[in-house]
Amino acid sequence: MSCPVQSILSGSLIVKLLFVQGPSATTRLLLLILLSVALMTMDHRTSYIHTIRSGIAVVVYPLQYAVNLPAELIGWASNTFVSRDELQKQNAELRTQNTLLKAQLQKLTFIEAENIHLRELLQSSRRAGERILIAELLAVDLDPYRKQIVIDKGSNHDDLYVGQPLIDAQGVMGKLTHVTPFSSTAQLITDPNHAVPVQVNRNGLRAVAIGTGEDSVELRHLPNNADIQRGDLLVSSGLGCVYPAGYPVATVTDVTTNPSLPFAEIIAEPVARLQRSREVLLVWPALANLPEMENPCEAHKRREEK
């Protein structure tokens, strides 16, 4: 008697499992789309999503540190077990470089003092040196359509802000786009959504360098007869109140002109070691002190906040 009863019970259970179903796939897809739209709207209009993102970044930070730990250990091991001859060679090279840098520093100190004196004579603004902070890379975004990196400095380390310039020992690298308590995300100058105002160091010609998504930038909307050529150094112009003026950005590698087109095709290679640098510098631009007129960068920031 027990076997037929068990068969009947198991059969009824199978029938219930066949007829009891959850929401359809279409309903689930619509719910996910509505949830995504709601989250994007909240992220655009409120600050709640930023708080959640900061909390997630705090949780993920130990994982980022753990992922970066093997590379740190390898670097530490290679530096620890380097040979004595190589250390002596590096020491001699560093002594030579230090002597040259000291000589250049003496000349730059004289030029800076002379420049300040001339500005005072012209009753113009005096530009002080920028404050900097050293940071290290934690991660690199592998998305081929974005060029971003994550650094190990956040709002808990110093007064970092969105849009803060990022450079290395050679030139401009990019700017911060997200700041969390223990880490920050930076957008490189080669990102397709990034643009930096530049000028040709040789003649002062102004342009805008836009990322190509590859390891290069391009100058758009320059006429075919523009005075620009291969090898020209592009430096930051200081316009836009983001990047300080005078920092190297890129070197022109290709200039193509077509009489049938109104603008030339100009490609430049960034001077910063975007793919190799592990240490970067965060820069706080030194705003000019204008006693008789409003600082243009401060006014620009107040208009952006409104």
Side-chain angles (χ1 to χ4, degrees), residues 157-203:
H157 297 86
D158 218 317
D159 51 344
L160 274 63
Y161 61 92
V162 175
Q164 185 169 6
L166 198 74
I167 66 173
D168 68 356
Q170 279 70 38
V172 174
M173 292 189 66
K175 63 181 180 181
L176 297 184
T177 55
H178 293 94
V179 178
T180 60
F182 297 105
S183 62
S184 301
T185 302
Q187 183 184 50
L188 300 180
I189 61 175
T190 53
D191 190 285
N193 297 319
H194 185 278
V196 51
V198 298
Q199 65 182 28
V200 180
N201 192 48
R202 176 173 54 87
N203 55 17

Side-chain angles (χ1 to χ4, degrees), residues 6 182 293:
Q6 291 179 355
F182 297 105
M293 63 183 67

Side-chain angles (χ1 to χ4, degrees), residues 137-158:
L137 268 67
L138 280 180
V140 178
D141 194 344
L142 299 179
D143 190 336
Y145 300 102
R146 296 191 302 178
K147 299 293 184 179
Q148 296 183 349
I149 59 175
V150 179
I151 61 175
D152 65 346
K153 293 295 186 294
S155 57
N156 283 352
H157 297 86
D158 218 317

Side-chain angles (χ1 to χ4, degrees), residues 30-43:
L30 291 175
L31 290 176
L32 291 175
I33 292 175
L34 292 176
L35 181 60
S36 301
V37 173
L39 290 176
M40 287 188 291
T41 304
M42 290 178 63
D43 188 21

Side-chain angles (χ1 to χ4, degrees), residues 191-256:
D191 190 285
N193 297 319
H194 185 278
V196 51
V198 298
Q199 65 182 28
V200 180
N201 192 48
R202 176 173 54 87
N203 55 17
L205 177 66
R206 291 191 297 269
V208 177
I210 301 176
T212 62
E214 304 293 336
D215 296 331
S216 61
V217 296
E218 60 178 342
L219 305 184
R220 299 178 183 176
H221 307 124
L222 284 180
N224 290 325
N225 60 351
D227 185 12
I228 188 169
Q229 58 191 14
R230 292 182 181 179
D232 278 344
L233 176 64
L234 305 177
V235 299
S236 55
S237 63
L239 301 179
C241 297
V242 176
Y243 295 98
Y247 281 98
V249 176
T251 302
V252 177
T253 57
D254 187 25
V255 178
T256 303

Side-chain angles (χ1 to χ4, degrees), residues 28-152:
R28 295 175 182 175
L29 178 61
L30 291 175
L31 290 176
L32 291 175
I33 292 175
L34 292 176
L35 181 60
S36 301
V37 173
L39 290 176
M40 287 188 291
T41 304
M42 290 178 63
D43 188 21
H44 181 69
R45 296 182 178 272
T46 66
S47 60
Y48 297 110
I49 301 299
H50 177 73
T51 304
I52 296 174
R53 187 186 294 115
S54 298
I56 295 175
V58 173
V59 175
V60 176
Y61 177 75
L63 180 60
Q64 293 177 335
Y65 183 81
V67 171
N68 191 51
L69 187 59
E72 295 290 340
L73 291 176
I74 293 174
W76 175 81
S78 61
N79 292 331
T80 302
F81 298 104
V82 69
S83 64
R84 181 173 178 272
D85 294 336
E86 185 175 354
L87 287 175
Q88 290 180 342
K89 181 180 178 181
Q90 291 179 358
N91 191 19
E93 291 177 353
L94 290 175
R95 287 178 180 274
T96 302
Q97 293 178 4
N98 188 29
T99 303
L100 293 175
L101 290 175
K102 285 183 177 179
Q104 294 176 1
L105 180 61
Q106 294 175 1
K107 184 177 180 181
L108 290 176
T109 302
F110 171 78
I111 294 175
E112 183 180 4
E114 184 181 23
N115 189 23
I116 293 175
H117 179 65
L118 291 175
R119 286 181 180 272
E120 290 176 348
L121 291 177
L122 295 174
Q123 296 181 355
S124 181
S125 62
R126 182 173 59 188
R127 181 173 178 270
E130 288 85 13
R131 182 164 65 94
I132 61 174
L133 174 67
I134 299 177
E136 293 186 1
L137 268 67
L138 280 180
V140 178
D141 194 344
L142 299 179
D143 190 336
Y145 300 102
R146 296 191 302 178
K147 299 293 184 179
Q148 296 183 349
I149 59 175
V150 179
I151 61 175
D152 65 346

